[in-house]
Amino acid sequence: MSPFDPRRGSARVWVPASAAFLSPLRIFLERSLEAWLGEALVRSATEELLVAVQEAVTNVIRHAYRNGPGIVEVALDLEERGEEAEVCVRDTGRPFDPASVEPPDFAHPTPGGYGLHVMRCFADRCEFGRDGRTNWVRLTRRVRAASEIRAETT
Amino acid sequence: MSPFDPRRGSARVWVPASAAFLSPLRIFLERSLEAWLGEALVRSATEELLVAVQEAVTNVIRHAYRNGPGIVEVALDLEERGEEAEVCVRDTGRPFDPASVEPPDFAHPTPGGYGLHVMRCFADRCEFGRDGRTNWVRLTRRVRAASEIRAETT
Amino acid sequence: MIREQPTVVSLDGDVDFASRKGVREKLLGAVGPGRPLLLVDLSGCGAVDSEGLAALLSVAQAIHERGGVMKFCSPSPFVERLFHVTRLGLVFEVHRDRRTALESF
Amino acid sequence: MIREQPTVVSLDGDVDFASRKGVREKLLGAVGPGRPLLLVDLSGCGAVDSEGLAALLSVAQAIHERGGVMKFCSPSPFVERLFHVTRLGLVFEVHRDRRTALESF
Ligand SMILES: Nc1ncnc2c1ncn2[C@@H]1O[C@H](COP(=O)(O)OP(=O)(O)O)[C@@H](O)[C@H]1O
Ligand SMILES: Nc1ncnc2c1ncn2[C@@H]1O[C@H](COP(=O)(O)OP(=O)(O)O)[C@@H](O)[C@H]1O
């Protein structure tokens, strides 16, 4: 796991790599975004970011740790002047090259294989990497209403 | 902050030392206990444990960090065979000796001064300590229904 | 006998460290000028902690200083336990339900 | 003309990786023997992710293999967007509301 960055305005969670923790994780991220942005939080963008994060965590559970034991780290970056939320999902499971994955065959739908596609559709940016023995996915999404941004910068 | 313990069955959160994060924290702990214990979770005991944790976090925000910037770590221990939940709240603010605090004067109630008392009443055990530059409070509470324990150990 | 009618306020969010200022403002803003009579209905409130109780006590003291009365009704079992361990159940007048509380004014 | 009556199932919890087995069981358990006709009302469901959609697709395929039909109604705007990006909105028959869906059987 990466060293802790004690900057104010970021929240971080570690949970066991288990489907049972998807719901605690999702509600924690949602409430933290509400704590941060209040009325300026755009609900539809938040829903999409949170499902993109859930796809990333589900892939860590199923593929990186192959449904075995492991820890998932999720960091939510709450930059005070930013208009974007950034969520970084980290694991220490097996490495993975997203470029090697074929996109879904939309003409022949199968039950599965949509996770990476949904992440890319619902995040504004979706980057993958590996530092030492840690894999990470960084999902970025604008979640603050535009009027708020203008009100602050004028 | 203490080094990360990658043991399965424990959940951990870092949040900014701010009242806005009390709600995300509380719901995360509640949902994690539900994920862990399901139907065996005793609601009344959980409510009391969660308010004890909230008192500890509030004290860190107000007293350890004096309403200034800081990070609060909350670790929930999910030992698979245990009947107890253990929550450890850590900060790197000013040190504090709970023995130096007078109990509330119940005959002359004042608005404030009940936090430590509530923690001690609502947790089964409440221990304070300091490791290096980290202060900690460990709150333990039995939250699993007794019938479940018996069913498992026979 | 004409019974005085208290102002009734339902607290529906959290009553805790995060919300204490809003709770104070809501309660003190609800009573008009003159001798305040206030009934606080706790049935719908969310999380309550000792800082929330402290805010309620400070409102009760402010109302008492103005010659008024503040009572509570419909606490959840958890809030009852919190009143009990802080002994504030001995300081506050707490009624099981709203009807009983209204009749007590 | 006598219209066939589908079995209607409302999904009220999450439809995701965590709940996918329960969702499959609930839907397949609701249709009787014979040619299954199933309408899934999505209005009350919680979080939905691609694994939840995959579970719905696998149920739809199982029902299709038995000569049956499975339709959906009342998706939230978010679920509509998820159907859209996965193109499953082209595979599933999705109706805006339950009445329109029932009339389509
Ligand atoms: N975090 C990961 N670690 C390892 N492999 C992964 C990871 N995420 C995705 N993959 C690989 O990419 C494939 C496609 O993933 P995805 O689009 O999410 O669909 P699905 O998980 O349903 O197969 C997976 O089947 C898996 O082989
Ligand atoms: N985490 C802490 N760090 C430093 N001082 C503390 C801490 N917790 C409590 N204290 C001290 O103990 C006193 C009593 O705390 P408490 O019983 O929670 O009531 P209150 O916070 O309302 O004063 C506080 O006023 C403060 O001086």
Side-chain angles (χ1 to χ4, degrees):
Chain A
M1 298 285 158
S2 68
F4 175 58
D5 167 7
R7 169 177 43 152
R8 188 183 175 133
S10 106
R12 198 171 287 217
V13 188
W14 292 265
V15 291
S18 150
F21 281 90
L22 291 175
S23 151
L25 202 52
R26 189 173 57 233
I27 192 121
F28 175 77
L29 296 175
E30 187 179 6
R31 291 286 179 95
S32 295
L33 286 167
E34 286 169 5
W36 175 36
L37 289 174
E39 293 299 305
L41 188 66
V42 179
R43 291 285 153 187
S44 57
T46 303
E47 284 177 311
E48 295 188 357
L49 173 63
L50 294 181
V51 84
V53 172
Q54 178 149 331
E55 300 289 350
V57 173
T58 298
N59 278 348
V60 167
I61 296 169
R62 293 178 60 213
H63 305 304
Y65 292 125
R66 302 182 196 227
N67 296 308
I71 297 285
V72 191
E73 175 185 323
V74 180
L76 169 64
D77 207 314
L78 306 179
E79 283 199 312
E80 262 167 68
R81 295 202 51 92
E83 46 204 80
E84 287 181 337
E86 184 188 287
V87 179
C88 193
V89 177
R90 293 186 182 86
D91 69 81
T92 55
R94 74 187 170 104
F96 152 68
D97 174 16
S100 70
V101 178
E102 292 287 317
D105 178 0
F106 294 114
H108 301 95
T110 50
Y114 294 101
L116 294 174
H117 176 70
V118 166
M119 286 160 64
R120 290 188 175 116
C121 287
F122 281 170
D124 292 338
R125 281 196 307 286
C126 174
E127 297 151 289
F128 295 82
R130 184 171 166 93
D131 294 333
R133 302 180 64 175
T134 300
N135 307 306
W136 54 263
V137 191
R138 187 181 300 116
L139 299 157
T140 317
R141 174 79 198 228
R142 186 172 171 146
V143 291
R144 179 187 272 193
S147 60
E148 281 283 321
I149 299 163
R150 258 181 257 122
E152 267 194 9
T153 51
T154 52
Chain B
M1 296 287 160
S2 67
F4 176 59
D5 169 8
R7 169 176 43 152
R8 187 182 176 138
S10 103
R12 191 172 295 214
V13 188
W14 274 332
V15 291
S18 151
F21 282 90
L22 290 176
S23 150
L25 202 51
R26 189 173 55 234
I27 192 123
F28 175 76
L29 295 175
E30 187 178 5
R31 290 287 179 94
S32 296
L33 285 167
E34 286 169 4
W36 176 36
L37 288 174
E39 293 299 305
L41 188 66
V42 179
R43 290 285 153 188
S44 57
T46 303
E47 285 178 310
E48 296 189 355
L49 174 63
L50 294 180
V51 84
V53 172
Q54 178 149 331
E55 300 290 350
V57 174
T58 298
N59 279 347
V60 167
I61 296 169
R62 293 178 60 214
H63 303 304
Y65 292 126
R66 302 181 195 229
N67 297 307
I71 297 285
V72 191
E73 176 184 318
V74 179
L76 169 65
D77 206 315
L78 306 179
E79 284 200 311
E80 263 166 67
R81 295 202 50 92
E83 47 202 81
E84 288 180 337
E86 183 187 289
V87 179
C88 194
V89 177
R90 294 186 181 87
D91 69 82
T92 55
R94 73 185 171 106
F96 153 67
D97 175 16
S100 70
V101 178
E102 293 287 316
D105 178 0
F106 295 114
H108 303 95
T110 50
Y114 294 101
L116 293 174
H117 176 71
V118 167
M119 286 160 65
R120 291 190 175 114
C121 287
F122 281 169
D124 292 339
R125 279 195 307 286
C126 174
E127 297 152 287
F128 295 83
R130 184 169 165 95
D131 294 333
R133 302 180 63 174
T134 301
N135 307 305
W136 53 263
V137 191
R138 188 180 301 116
L139 298 156
T140 317
R141 174 79 197 226
R142 187 173 169 145
V143 291
R144 179 187 272 192
S147 59
E148 280 284 320
I149 300 164
R150 257 181 259 123
E152 267 194 10
T153 50
T154 53
Chain C
M1 180 194 123
I2 294 173
R3 186 173 275 146
E4 287 184 274
Q5 280 298 327
T7 306
V8 183
V9 178
S10 288
L11 290 178
D12 44 14
D14 296 341
V15 180
D16 67 356
F17 177 58
S19 65
R20 67 200 188 289
K21 282 177 195 146
V23 167
R24 271 185 65 92
E25 279 166 21
K26 181 169 183 177
L27 295 179
L28 289 173
V31 295
R35 179 172 170 255
L37 293 181
L38 184 61
L39 173 61
V40 181
D41 187 325
L42 297 166
S43 58
C45 70
V48 181
D49 69 10
S50 76
E51 288 295 320
L53 291 192
L56 297 179
L57 181 60
S58 77
V59 172
Q61 288 175 337
I63 283 181
H64 189 250
E65 271 166 28
R66 289 167 56 191
V69 179
M70 175 174 172
K71 303 184 181 185
F72 296 89
C73 70
S74 313
S76 69
F78 169 72
V79 172
E80 272 182 356
R81 296 198 301 277
L82 200 55
F83 279 146
H84 179 75
V85 301
T86 57
R87 316 293 189 266
L88 288 174
L90 303 172
V91 178
F92 294 146
E93 188 175 322
V94 185
H95 293 268
R96 175 160 305 191
D97 55 48
R98 191 189 280 211
R99 196 179 52 78
T100 322
L102 285 172
E103 284 169 1
S104 77
F105 276 90
Chain D
M1 182 192 122
I2 294 173
R3 186 173 276 149
E4 286 185 274
Q5 280 299 327
T7 306
V8 183
V9 178
S10 288
L11 290 179
D12 45 13
D14 296 340
V15 180
D16 67 357
F17 177 58
S19 64
R20 66 199 190 288
K21 282 177 196 146
V23 167
R24 270 185 65 92
E25 279 165 21
K26 181 169 183 176
L27 295 179
L28 289 172
V31 295
R35 179 172 169 255
L37 293 181
L38 184 61
L39 174 61
V40 181
D41 187 325
L42 298 166
S43 57
C45 69
V48 181
D49 69 11
S50 75
E51 287 296 319
L53 291 192
L56 296 180
L57 181 61
S58 78
V59 173
Q61 289 174 337
I63 283 181
H64 190 251
E65 271 166 28
R66 288 167 56 191
V69 178
M70 174 175 172
K71 302 183 182 185
F72 295 88
C73 71
S74 314
S76 69
F78 169 73
V79 172
E80 271 183 357
R81 296 197 300 279
L82 199 56
F83 279 147
H84 179 78
V85 301
T86 57
R87 315 294 188 266
L88 288 174
L90 303 171
V91 178
F92 294 146
E93 187 175 323
V94 185
H95 293 267
R96 175 160 307 191
D97 55 49
R98 192 188 281 210
R99 195 178 51 79
T100 323
L102 285 173
E103 283 169 359
S104 77
F105 276 89

